[in-house]
């Protein structure tokens, strides 16, 4: 039993990270103040480094030492770190301001090394105010679509761009625009004590799929997938998903009882001409109460004058 | 003979035209409209272009959007010289479909197609167009689903609405290129030979903009300027505006612009709250409409309007377009699990229909429309959830 559980969890654990990295393109990691996403980013980086992929990191928000904390040395040796935290204007290279983060990104765009590569942007929230929004989008799009090989060459570059984005720093416009650019979106959230990742996958030509995984990050930045939050703190059910019964406030009757249905079926409609009806119409007063017309002439109708007297014929 | 063929198709389908136009008043009257382009009538001649037909209301030249259901809702089709704006759904799942149906209709009818995109290569977009449905398979598809919302079920003998039994069923004629609207199989790709036989132009923004041009404030973004110049060149060189008198055979130019206004086009109107150049998009639409009105072209634009909360921008964009259709999909919303909406994939809103040479427009009475993407077909129906609830 324990063995089965472990196997299942190992499978689930590797499946979650693999599925995030396998498709490529832009993976947007959205986190918030309560649930930080940098550890998930580092878990993904560790996974890619273990698979012998090339990993480039654009570090803007935390220092290089802080970022490398928790990684073993062989993983650290696989990472190519572009430090913008210490040198945001990229003065060491002597490039002007706009060439700083932009230059780094476009340099990564123009690489020609074959093989799968992972690029981690820590974080997009830092880049958004520093770059024109449109330039960032265009560069991200060019970065994440490098696997369309130009000129029909046989080598397929699988590029995966991991972008960390802090939700609270941006309005719905920029957030929505980046979401529409991303192939996979991971929203880190959770309930008491348990982090969850809501993963939304957009594949071309297909409907987007979504799933929620409960996970926790171990100190060595490997991922542990849980089954769900602890029982005591079940999230309260979403009121929208309660079954809506549209029959509650109807003014007409949609369900008929058996007797009513029989009565309805046996009813003769006015335009259906049957022989009984014909008889009834032709011979009125066959014992049925036929209708009588009661007429009482009004007082002023008793006019003795003949209107035709006025005619001069 | 091509003129006669199109004329024949036009006259033969007036019966279905009458049924199509008067959606709410279903009659068995066959309306005999004036025969257009009739070679034997000797009346006023109209050069009939493949894939177009005159509107029964005001004689405006119409083309099909690629979805006969949408054609009906827009009053017969899309008028030549106008812009159809599709407001994309949130995850951009269904608006590319409408975009592709429009282009596929152009390829089938032999129109010249111009595809502009900042995200995907136009050649790739054209490869992914849906294949046209052939006659037999289309009959099967139509029998399966409820095509017209007012068509009662014919398998049960009608007791109360007995007069409707005399109505003819929806016609299922042969699919030839002289037909106005075609059906497409969304699960299959268009045959390669059709694309190669067609004339198309592609505009892929990353290829056209290589250097960062200096952008002047108050003017259009460089991407838009390039696109407008490209369209203008095509219209002029290929004679869609009548400038090339040697061309006898007139044709329609179908322009498709994908995700206009998104940041990939270099326009930040949808991704920033207070953008500097907020008039670039509106200027583009204004100039584009001027180009379209003076040429035989139709344009479809998809726009991610869901990204902005700014109602002023949406209102301006709507005013500058002619026909506006909004798509709202249920993916990710609470309606996905709601049993009332389980039959449908989303709602379709007809936001605006143009008044062209008219005081009124051809607005349909039905406002509550939903769409569903089946395995092959994209259907639009009146949202009728009580019926579906009874059926269980």
């Amino acid at each position: 039993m324990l063995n089965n559980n472990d196997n299942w969890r190992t499978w689930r654990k590797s499946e979650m990270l693999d599925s995030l990295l396998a498709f490529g393109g832009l993976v947007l990691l959205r986190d918030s103040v309560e649930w930080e996403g940098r550890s998930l980013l580092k878990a993904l980086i560790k996974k890619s480094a273990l698979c012998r992929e090339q990993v480039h990191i654009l570090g803007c928000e935390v220092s290089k030492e802080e970022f490398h904390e928790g990684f073993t040395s062989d993983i650290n040796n696989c990472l190519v770190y572009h430090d913008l935290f210490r040198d945001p204007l990229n003065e060491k290279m002597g490039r002007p301001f706009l060439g700083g983060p932009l230059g780094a990104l476009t340099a990564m765009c123009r690489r020609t090394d074959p093989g799968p590569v992972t690029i981690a942007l820590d974080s997009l929230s830092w880049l958004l105010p520093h770059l024109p929004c449109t330039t960032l989008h265009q560069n991200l799009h060019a970065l994440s679509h490098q696997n369309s090989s130009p000129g029909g060459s046989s080598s397929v570059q699988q590029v995966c761009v991991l972008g960390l984005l802090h939700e609270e720093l941006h309005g719905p416009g920029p957030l929505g625009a980046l979401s529409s650019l991303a192939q996979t979106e991971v929203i880190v959230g959770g309930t008491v004590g348990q982090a969850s990742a809501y993963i939304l996958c957009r594949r071309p030509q297909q409907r987007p799929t979504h799933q929620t995984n409960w996970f926790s990050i171990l100190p060595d930045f490997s991922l542990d997938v849980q089954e769900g939050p602890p029982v005591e703190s079940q999230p309260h059910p979403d009121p929208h998903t309660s079954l809506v019964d549209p029959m509650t406030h109807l003014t007409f009757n949609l369900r008929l009882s058996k007797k009513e249905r029989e009565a309805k079926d046996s009813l003769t409609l006015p335009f259906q001409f049957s022989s009984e009806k014909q008889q009834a119409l032709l011979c009125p007063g066959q014992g049925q109460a036929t209708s009588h017309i009661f007429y009482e002439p009004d007082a002023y109708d008793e006019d003795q004058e003949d209107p035709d007297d006025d005619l001069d014929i | 003979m091509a003129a006669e063929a199109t004329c024949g198709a036009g006259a033969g389908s007036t019966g279905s035209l009458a049924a199509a136009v008067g959606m709410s008043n279903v009659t068995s009257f066959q309306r005999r409209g004036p025969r257009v382009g009739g070679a034997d009538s000797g009346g006023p001649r109209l050069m009939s272009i493949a894939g177009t037909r005159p509107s029964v209301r005001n004689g405006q030249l119409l083309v099909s959007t690629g979805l006969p259901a949408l054609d009906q809702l827009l009053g017969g089709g899309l008028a030549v010289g106008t812009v159809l704006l599709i407001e994309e759904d949130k995850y951009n799942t269904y608006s590319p479909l409408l975009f592709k149906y429009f282009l596929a209709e152009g390829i089938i009818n032999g129109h010249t197609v111009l595809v502009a995109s900042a995200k995907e290569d136009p050649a790739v977009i054209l490869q992914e167009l849906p294949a046209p449905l052939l006659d037999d398979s289309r009959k099967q598809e139509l029998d399966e689903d409820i095509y017209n919302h007012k068509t009662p079920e014919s398998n049960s003998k009608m007791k109360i609405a007995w007069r409707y039994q005399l109505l003819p069923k929806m016609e299922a004629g042969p699919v030839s290129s002289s037909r106005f609207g075609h059906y497409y199989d969304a699960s299959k790709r268009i045959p390669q030979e059709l694309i190669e036989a067609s004339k198309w132009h592609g505009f892929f923004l990353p290829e056209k903009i290589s250097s960062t041009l200096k952008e002047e404030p108050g003017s259009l973004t460089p991407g838009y300027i390039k696109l407008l110049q490209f369209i203008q060149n095509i219209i002029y060189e290929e004679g869609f505006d009548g400038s090339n008198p040697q061309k006898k055979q007139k044709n329609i130019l179908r322009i498709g612009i994908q995700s206009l206004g998104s940041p990939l086009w270099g326009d930040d109107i949808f991704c920033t709250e207070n953008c500097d150049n907020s008039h670039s998009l509106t200027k583009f639409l204004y100039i584009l409409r001027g180009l379209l009105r003076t040429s035989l072209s139709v344009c479809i634009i998809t726009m991610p309007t869901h990204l902005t909360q700014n109602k002023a921008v949406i209102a301006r964009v709507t005013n500058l377009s002619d026909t506006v259709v909004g798509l709202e999909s249920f993916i990710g919303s609470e309606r996905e699990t709601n049993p009332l909406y389980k039959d449908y994939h989303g709602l379709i809103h007809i936001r605006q229909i143009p008044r062209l040479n008219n005081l009124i427009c051809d607005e349909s009475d039905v406002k509550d429309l939903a769409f569903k993407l089946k395995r092959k077909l994209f259907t639009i129906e009146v949202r009728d959830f009580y019926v579906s609830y009874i059926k269980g």
Side-chain angles (χ1 to χ4, degrees):
Chain A
M1 186 60 189
L2 196 62
N3 222 3
N4 268 348
N5 230 0
D6 272 352
N7 282 342
W8 175 80
R9 281 169 65 172
T10 322
W11 171 73
R12 283 287 302 275
K13 167 169 57 176
S14 59
E15 184 200 82
M16 175 176 156
L17 287 180
D18 278 337
S19 64
L20 286 177
L21 292 169
F23 186 68
L26 176 64
V27 178
L28 196 68
L29 291 172
R30 286 165 57 159
D31 69 349
S32 54
V33 168
E34 293 110 22
W35 301 100
E36 61 95 24
R38 187 165 287 115
S39 23
L40 184 59
L41 177 72
K42 287 166 88 166
L44 285 165
I45 289 172
K46 179 183 169 180
K47 185 79 203 279
S48 333
L50 287 174
C51 298
R52 295 276 181 267
E53 292 175 9
Q54 302 178 43
V55 183
H56 293 257
I57 301 174
L58 191 70
C60 318
E61 272 186 2
V62 295
S63 65
K64 185 172 180 179
E65 293 76 26
E66 196 182 326
F67 197 87
H68 281 302
E69 216 176 312
F71 283 146
T72 58
S73 56
D74 50 345
I75 292 180
N76 277 330
N77 294 336
C78 291
L79 308 178
V80 181
Y81 196 86
H82 306 261
D83 196 352
L84 277 175
F85 179 76
R86 184 152 300 159
D87 188 15
L89 303 179
N90 219 352
E91 283 159 350
K92 265 200 297 191
M93 305 303 244
R95 285 186 215 147
F97 172 70
L98 267 183
L102 188 61
L105 269 182
T106 43
M108 283 199 248
C109 279
R110 290 200 199 106
R111 293 177 318 103
T112 46
D113 312 341
V117 68
T118 304
I119 300 173
L121 302 171
D122 179 17
S123 63
L124 281 171
S125 291
W126 190 92
L127 288 171
L128 260 178
H130 285 81
L131 290 177
C133 176
T134 54
T135 323
L136 179 65
H137 274 82
Q138 284 166 341
N139 282 331
L140 271 179
H141 186 250
L143 252 186
S144 48
H145 278 74
Q146 275 181 85
N147 44 3
S148 53
S149 45
S153 58
S154 56
S155 68
V156 177
Q157 276 182 352
Q158 187 70 325
V159 180
C160 184
V161 182
L162 306 167
L164 185 62
L165 190 68
H166 307 302
E167 279 191 331
E168 284 120 351
L169 294 178
H170 309 285
L175 270 182
L178 279 172
S179 302
S180 59
L181 200 60
Q183 274 74 43
T184 315
E185 203 177 327
V186 182
I187 303 176
V188 184
T191 57
V192 177
Q194 188 65 51
S196 72
Y198 174 79
I199 303 174
L200 184 77
C201 300
R202 298 181 196 214
R203 303 285 176 256
Q205 320 298 323
Q206 287 174 34
R207 295 187 64 194
T209 54
H210 55 99
Q211 64 180 79
T212 306
N213 285 337
W214 300 89
F215 69 97
S216 63
I217 308 271
L218 303 173
D220 67 342
F221 293 108
S222 53
L223 195 76
D224 191 23
V225 175
Q226 319 279 326
E227 277 120 54
V231 185
E232 318 82 65
S233 60
Q234 283 292 338
H236 53 88
D238 194 1
H240 292 297
T241 56
S242 60
L243 204 62
V244 174
D245 188 14
M247 304 303 186
T248 40
H249 301 294
L250 287 180
T251 53
F252 48 89
N253 190 10
L254 274 178
R255 290 194 190 94
L256 295 173
S257 67
K258 195 159 177 290
K259 270 180 69 177
E260 288 170 341
R261 196 178 293 274
E262 281 171 12
K264 178 185 157 198
D265 287 337
S266 60
L267 183 69
T268 34
L269 295 168
F271 294 107
Q272 269 180 337
F273 216 52
S274 56
S275 53
E276 296 93 17
K277 207 159 184 184
Q278 198 175 14
Q279 293 297 316
L281 284 172
L282 289 174
C283 321
Q286 264 204 1
Q288 289 153 351
T290 54
S291 54
H292 295 278
I293 300 174
F294 298 95
Y295 172 63
E296 277 181 14
D298 293 329
Y300 59 81
D301 262 346
E302 301 283 339
D303 200 351
Q304 300 298 335
E305 276 184 14
D306 189 5
D308 290 336
D309 290 342
D310 290 338
L311 291 174
D312 216 1
I313 303 167
Chain B
M1 294 305 116
E4 267 190 8
T6 49
C7 157
S13 60
T14 42
S16 68
L17 266 185
V21 164
M23 250 170 72
S24 51
N25 49 325
V26 186
T27 70
S28 52
F29 280 119
Q30 300 274 330
R31 178 173 177 168
R32 290 184 200 279
R35 279 178 182 248
V36 202
D40 37 67
S41 64
R45 296 281 199 94
L46 243 191
M47 285 277 271
S48 53
I49 310 170
T52 65
R53 71 170 180 198
S55 160
V56 289
R57 294 267 181 147
N58 51 8
Q60 187 89 37
L61 198 63
L62 300 176
V63 293
S64 168
T65 53
L67 269 178
L70 190 61
D71 287 341
Q72 277 186 7
L73 292 168
L74 298 181
L78 210 54
V80 170
T82 62
V83 171
L84 169 64
L85 180 76
I86 309 260
E87 294 182 354
E88 290 175 6
D89 52 308
K90 192 170 170 208
Y91 296 104
N92 203 16
T93 320
Y94 300 107
S95 43
L97 273 177
L98 295 187
F99 189 76
K100 284 175 186 161
Y101 281 129
F102 182 85
L103 297 175
E105 184 70 25
I107 301 253
I108 300 290
N109 285 319
H111 298 159
T112 308
V113 167
L114 197 165
V115 186
S117 172
K119 205 170 185 182
E120 290 174 66
D121 195 355
V124 172
I125 297 178
L126 283 176
Q127 300 291 329
E128 292 169 355
L129 294 184
L133 264 182
L134 300 170
D135 185 25
D136 306 325
S137 44
R138 184 171 82 80
K139 257 194 198 161
Q140 282 173 4
E141 297 290 342
L142 279 187
D143 288 340
E144 281 168 23
D145 45 63
I146 320 164
Y147 181 78
N148 194 342
H149 67 290
K150 287 283 192 244
T151 306
E153 281 168 340
S154 51
N155 44 8
S156 66
K157 185 176 166 310
M158 280 174 273
K159 286 203 201 165
I160 298 177
W162 55 277
R163 278 215 188 265
Y164 285 113
Q165 273 191 305
L166 307 173
L167 255 194
K169 286 187 103 156
M170 293 300 296
E171 60 153 27
V175 177
S176 61
S177 56
S178 60
R179 240 184 93 90
F180 185 66
H182 296 87
Y183 293 93
Y184 295 93
D185 184 350
S187 57
K188 293 201 193 105
R189 297 269 167 267
I190 197 169
Q192 188 64 25
E193 13 333 320
L194 278 177
I195 301 179
E196 282 161 14
S198 68
K199 192 135 195 266
W200 64 272
H201 304 275
F203 181 93
F204 187 37
L205 187 70
E207 282 170 11
K208 306 277 180 176
I209 299 268
S210 45
S211 59
T212 48
L213 296 167
K214 186 78 177 72
E215 191 184 310
E216 295 149 42
S219 80
L220 294 163
T221 53
Y224 290 163
I225 295 178
K226 288 261 173 182
L227 178 57
L228 285 171
Q229 285 169 349
F230 185 75
I231 295 175
Q232 192 178 29
N233 279 342
I234 302 282
I235 290 178
Y236 180 70
E237 280 164 19
E238 305 203 0
F240 289 107
D241 55 352
S243 58
N244 202 343
Q246 279 83 27
K247 286 191 80 73
K248 292 278 182 221
Q249 186 65 25
K250 292 199 181 173
N251 205 353
I252 304 275
L253 173 67
R254 285 198 186 223
I255 305 172
I257 307 178
Q258 208 180 33
S259 278
L260 192 69
S262 80
L264 290 174
W265 278 101
D267 190 6
D268 55 357
I269 192 168
F270 286 133
C271 62
T272 53
E273 273 92 24
N274 305 313
C275 68
D276 302 320
N277 209 353
S278 56
H279 296 293
S280 187
L281 182 62
T282 43
K283 274 191 192 164
F284 174 87
L285 288 174
Y286 187 69
I287 299 175
L288 178 72
R289 201 162 67 168
L291 278 176
L292 293 178
R293 291 282 199 267
T294 52
S295 62
L296 281 174
S297 36
V298 197
C299 183
I300 187 171
I301 301 178
T302 65
M303 199 179 279
T305 49
H306 58 90
L307 291 176
T308 182
Q309 319 289 327
N310 190 347
K311 293 204 168 69
V313 167
I314 299 179
R316 276 183 216 136
V317 161
T318 306
N319 283 337
L320 284 166
S321 318
D322 298 303
T323 315
V324 182
V325 170
L327 290 176
E328 181 193 332
S329 80
F330 294 153
I331 300 170
S333 78
E334 67 268 10
R335 286 175 176 173
E336 204 174 4
T337 46
N338 194 327
L340 292 178
Y341 295 102
K342 66 172 165 55
D343 277 347
Y344 305 105
H345 290 151
L347 300 177
I348 188 165
H349 306 282
I350 311 276
R351 306 230 193 257
Q352 181 175 272
I353 295 187
R355 298 188 180 98
L356 300 164
N357 310 320
N358 234 340
L359 284 176
I360 56 167
C361 57
D362 237 342
E363 237 174 293
S364 87
D365 300 331
V366 187
K367 305 281 188 216
D368 214 6
L369 297 159
F371 66 84
K372 179 163 42 170
L373 175 65
K374 298 192 184 152
R375 198 174 50 88
K376 290 184 176 182
L377 279 183
F378 186 94
T379 54
I380 302 177
E381 303 164 10
V382 175
R383 189 163 61 102
D384 200 355
F385 46 78
Y386 285 121
V387 172
S388 56
Y389 199 81
I390 294 171
K391 280 192 211 157

Short mmCIF file of all heavy atoms in Angstrom, two decimals, chain A residues 36 38-40 42-43 46 66-72 75 215-224 226:
data_model
loop_
_atom_site.label_atom_id
_atom_site.label_comp_id
_atom_site.label_asym_id
_atom_site.label_seq_id
_atom_site.Cartn_x
_atom_site.Cartn_y
_atom_site.Cartn_z
N GLU A 36 4.17 32.78 -2.51
CA GLU A 36 5.24 33.21 -3.39
C GLU A 36 5.56 32.10 -4.38
O GLU A 36 5.42 30.92 -4.10
CB GLU A 36 6.47 33.61 -2.57
CG GLU A 36 7.06 32.52 -1.73
CD GLU A 36 8.20 31.81 -2.42
OE1 GLU A 36 8.81 32.42 -3.31
OE2 GLU A 36 8.46 30.64 -2.09
N ARG A 38 8.60 32.07 -6.26
CA ARG A 38 10.02 31.92 -6.62
C ARG A 38 10.51 30.51 -6.33
O ARG A 38 11.35 29.98 -7.05
CB ARG A 38 10.87 32.95 -5.89
CG ARG A 38 12.32 32.92 -6.39
CD ARG A 38 13.10 34.14 -5.97
NE ARG A 38 12.71 35.33 -6.70
CZ ARG A 38 12.14 36.38 -6.16
NH1 ARG A 38 11.88 36.42 -4.87
NH2 ARG A 38 11.82 37.42 -6.90
N SER A 39 10.00 29.88 -5.28
CA SER A 39 10.47 28.52 -4.99
C SER A 39 10.00 27.55 -6.08
O SER A 39 10.75 26.64 -6.47
CB SER A 39 9.99 28.05 -3.62
OG SER A 39 8.86 28.76 -3.22
N LEU A 40 8.79 27.79 -6.60
CA LEU A 40 8.34 26.94 -7.71
C LEU A 40 9.21 27.18 -8.93
O LEU A 40 9.56 26.24 -9.67
CB LEU A 40 6.87 27.22 -8.02
CG LEU A 40 6.23 26.35 -9.08
CD1 LEU A 40 6.29 24.89 -8.71
CD2 LEU A 40 4.78 26.75 -9.31
N LYS A 42 12.32 28.04 -8.90
CA LYS A 42 13.60 27.37 -8.67
C LYS A 42 13.46 25.87 -8.80
O LYS A 42 14.38 25.19 -9.27
CB LYS A 42 14.14 27.76 -7.30
CG LYS A 42 14.66 29.20 -7.28
CD LYS A 42 14.90 29.75 -5.90
CE LYS A 42 16.30 29.42 -5.42
NZ LYS A 42 16.62 30.23 -4.22
N ALA A 43 12.30 25.32 -8.40
CA ALA A 43 12.09 23.89 -8.58
C ALA A 43 12.11 23.53 -10.07
O ALA A 43 12.68 22.51 -10.49
CB ALA A 43 10.76 23.47 -7.95
N LYS A 46 15.63 23.70 -11.33
CA LYS A 46 16.40 22.53 -10.91
C LYS A 46 16.06 21.35 -11.78
O LYS A 46 16.94 20.58 -12.21
CB LYS A 46 16.07 22.22 -9.44
CG LYS A 46 16.81 21.01 -8.94
CD LYS A 46 16.42 20.68 -7.51
CE LYS A 46 16.99 19.32 -7.18
NZ LYS A 46 16.67 18.92 -5.81
N GLU A 66 21.56 35.05 -3.22
CA GLU A 66 20.27 34.61 -2.67
C GLU A 66 19.59 33.64 -3.63
O GLU A 66 18.91 32.71 -3.21
CB GLU A 66 19.38 35.85 -2.45
CG GLU A 66 18.20 35.59 -1.55
CD GLU A 66 17.33 36.83 -1.40
OE1 GLU A 66 17.90 37.95 -1.40
OE2 GLU A 66 16.11 36.67 -1.30
N PHE A 67 19.76 33.88 -4.91
CA PHE A 67 19.11 33.00 -5.86
C PHE A 67 19.75 31.63 -5.86
O PHE A 67 19.07 30.60 -5.97
CB PHE A 67 19.19 33.62 -7.27
CG PHE A 67 18.24 33.01 -8.23
CD1 PHE A 67 16.94 33.49 -8.33
CD2 PHE A 67 18.61 31.94 -9.03
CE1 PHE A 67 16.04 32.91 -9.20
CE2 PHE A 67 17.72 31.37 -9.91
CZ PHE A 67 16.44 31.85 -10.00
N HIS A 68 21.07 31.59 -5.70
CA HIS A 68 21.75 30.29 -5.76
C HIS A 68 21.60 29.50 -4.48
O HIS A 68 21.98 28.34 -4.41
CB HIS A 68 23.24 30.50 -6.05
CG HIS A 68 23.51 30.78 -7.50
ND1 HIS A 68 23.15 29.91 -8.49
CD2 HIS A 68 24.08 31.83 -8.12
CE1 HIS A 68 23.49 30.41 -9.67
NE2 HIS A 68 24.07 31.58 -9.47
N GLU A 69 21.04 30.13 -3.46
CA GLU A 69 20.87 29.46 -2.19
C GLU A 69 19.95 28.26 -2.33
O GLU A 69 18.87 28.36 -2.90
CB GLU A 69 20.19 30.46 -1.25
CG GLU A 69 20.65 30.38 0.17
CD GLU A 69 19.98 31.48 0.97
OE1 GLU A 69 20.00 32.63 0.49
OE2 GLU A 69 19.41 31.17 2.02
N GLY A 70 20.37 27.15 -1.82
CA GLY A 70 19.51 25.98 -1.87
C GLY A 70 19.85 25.05 -3.01
O GLY A 70 19.46 23.89 -3.02
N PHE A 71 20.57 25.56 -4.01
CA PHE A 71 20.96 24.68 -5.10
C PHE A 71 22.28 24.04 -4.77
O PHE A 71 23.16 24.65 -4.19
CB PHE A 71 21.12 25.49 -6.39
CG PHE A 71 19.82 25.86 -7.05
CD1 PHE A 71 19.70 27.06 -7.72
CD2 PHE A 71 18.73 25.00 -7.03
CE1 PHE A 71 18.51 27.41 -8.34
CE2 PHE A 71 17.54 25.35 -7.63
CZ PHE A 71 17.44 26.57 -8.30
N THR A 72 22.43 22.81 -5.23
CA THR A 72 23.73 22.17 -5.06
C THR A 72 24.70 22.76 -6.07
O THR A 72 24.31 23.42 -7.03
CB THR A 72 23.60 20.66 -5.26
OG1 THR A 72 23.08 20.43 -6.57
CG2 THR A 72 22.68 20.05 -4.22
N ILE A 75 24.37 21.87 -9.78
CA ILE A 75 23.29 22.57 -10.46
C ILE A 75 23.71 24.00 -10.73
O ILE A 75 23.48 24.55 -11.81
CB ILE A 75 22.00 22.53 -9.62
CG1 ILE A 75 21.47 21.10 -9.56
CG2 ILE A 75 20.95 23.45 -10.21
CD1 ILE A 75 20.22 20.95 -8.76
N PHE A 215 0.69 21.18 -3.80
CA PHE A 215 2.09 20.80 -3.75
C PHE A 215 2.77 21.49 -2.59
O PHE A 215 2.22 22.39 -1.96
CB PHE A 215 2.80 21.17 -5.06
CG PHE A 215 2.96 22.66 -5.24
CD1 PHE A 215 4.14 23.30 -4.89
CD2 PHE A 215 1.91 23.42 -5.74
CE1 PHE A 215 4.28 24.66 -5.04
CE2 PHE A 215 2.05 24.79 -5.89
CZ PHE A 215 3.24 25.42 -5.55
N SER A 216 3.98 21.03 -2.34
CA SER A 216 4.83 21.77 -1.41
C SER A 216 6.25 21.62 -1.89
O SER A 216 6.63 20.62 -2.51
CB SER A 216 4.67 21.25 0.02
OG SER A 216 5.10 19.93 0.09
N ILE A 217 7.05 22.64 -1.63
CA ILE A 217 8.43 22.64 -2.10
C ILE A 217 9.33 22.26 -0.94
O ILE A 217 9.28 22.86 0.13
CB ILE A 217 8.83 24.04 -2.63
CG1 ILE A 217 7.82 24.55 -3.63
CG2 ILE A 217 10.21 24.00 -3.21
CD1 ILE A 217 8.05 24.19 -5.03
N LEU A 218 10.16 21.27 -1.18
CA LEU A 218 11.08 20.84 -0.15
C LEU A 218 12.30 21.76 -0.14
O LEU A 218 12.54 22.49 -1.09
CB LEU A 218 11.50 19.39 -0.44
CG LEU A 218 10.31 18.43 -0.54
CD1 LEU A 218 10.77 17.07 -1.00
CD2 LEU A 218 9.60 18.34 0.79
N PRO A 219 13.07 21.73 0.93
CA PRO A 219 14.21 22.64 1.03
C PRO A 219 15.23 22.51 -0.09
O PRO A 219 15.92 23.47 -0.42
CB PRO A 219 14.86 22.27 2.38
CG PRO A 219 13.75 21.69 3.17
CD PRO A 219 12.83 21.03 2.21
N ASP A 220 15.32 21.34 -0.70
CA ASP A 220 16.28 21.23 -1.80
C ASP A 220 15.63 21.53 -3.14
O ASP A 220 16.15 21.18 -4.19
CB ASP A 220 16.91 19.82 -1.82
CG ASP A 220 15.86 18.78 -2.18
OD1 ASP A 220 14.67 19.09 -2.06
OD2 ASP A 220 16.25 17.67 -2.58
N PHE A 221 14.49 22.18 -3.09
CA PHE A 221 13.76 22.61 -4.29
C PHE A 221 13.35 21.47 -5.18
O PHE A 221 13.39 21.55 -6.40
CB PHE A 221 14.56 23.65 -5.10
CG PHE A 221 14.70 24.93 -4.36
CD1 PHE A 221 15.91 25.30 -3.81
CD2 PHE A 221 13.60 25.75 -4.14
CE1 PHE A 221 16.02 26.47 -3.10
CE2 PHE A 221 13.71 26.93 -3.42
CZ PHE A 221 14.94 27.28 -2.89
N SER A 222 12.97 20.39 -4.56
CA SER A 222 12.25 19.39 -5.33
C SER A 222 10.78 19.48 -4.93
O SER A 222 10.44 19.93 -3.83
CB SER A 222 12.82 18.00 -5.07
OG SER A 222 12.83 17.75 -3.70
N LEU A 223 9.97 19.02 -5.80
CA LEU A 223 8.54 19.24 -5.65
C LEU A 223 7.87 18.04 -5.01
O LEU A 223 8.19 16.90 -5.33
CB LEU A 223 7.94 19.46 -7.04
CG LEU A 223 6.54 20.05 -7.06
CD1 LEU A 223 6.62 21.51 -6.75
CD2 LEU A 223 5.92 19.84 -8.40
N ASP A 224 6.98 18.29 -4.12
CA ASP A 224 6.22 17.22 -3.50
C ASP A 224 4.73 17.48 -3.75
O ASP A 224 4.18 18.48 -3.29
CB ASP A 224 6.51 17.22 -1.99
CG ASP A 224 5.95 15.98 -1.33
OD1 ASP A 224 5.75 14.98 -2.04
OD2 ASP A 224 5.70 16.02 -0.12
N GLN A 226 0.91 16.88 -3.25
CA GLN A 226 0.00 16.35 -2.24
C GLN A 226 -1.33 16.01 -2.88
O GLN A 226 -1.62 16.42 -3.98
CB GLN A 226 -0.24 17.43 -1.16
CG GLN A 226 0.97 18.20 -0.78
CD GLN A 226 1.79 17.43 0.20
OE1 GLN A 226 1.25 16.71 1.00
NE2 GLN A 226 3.08 17.56 0.12
#
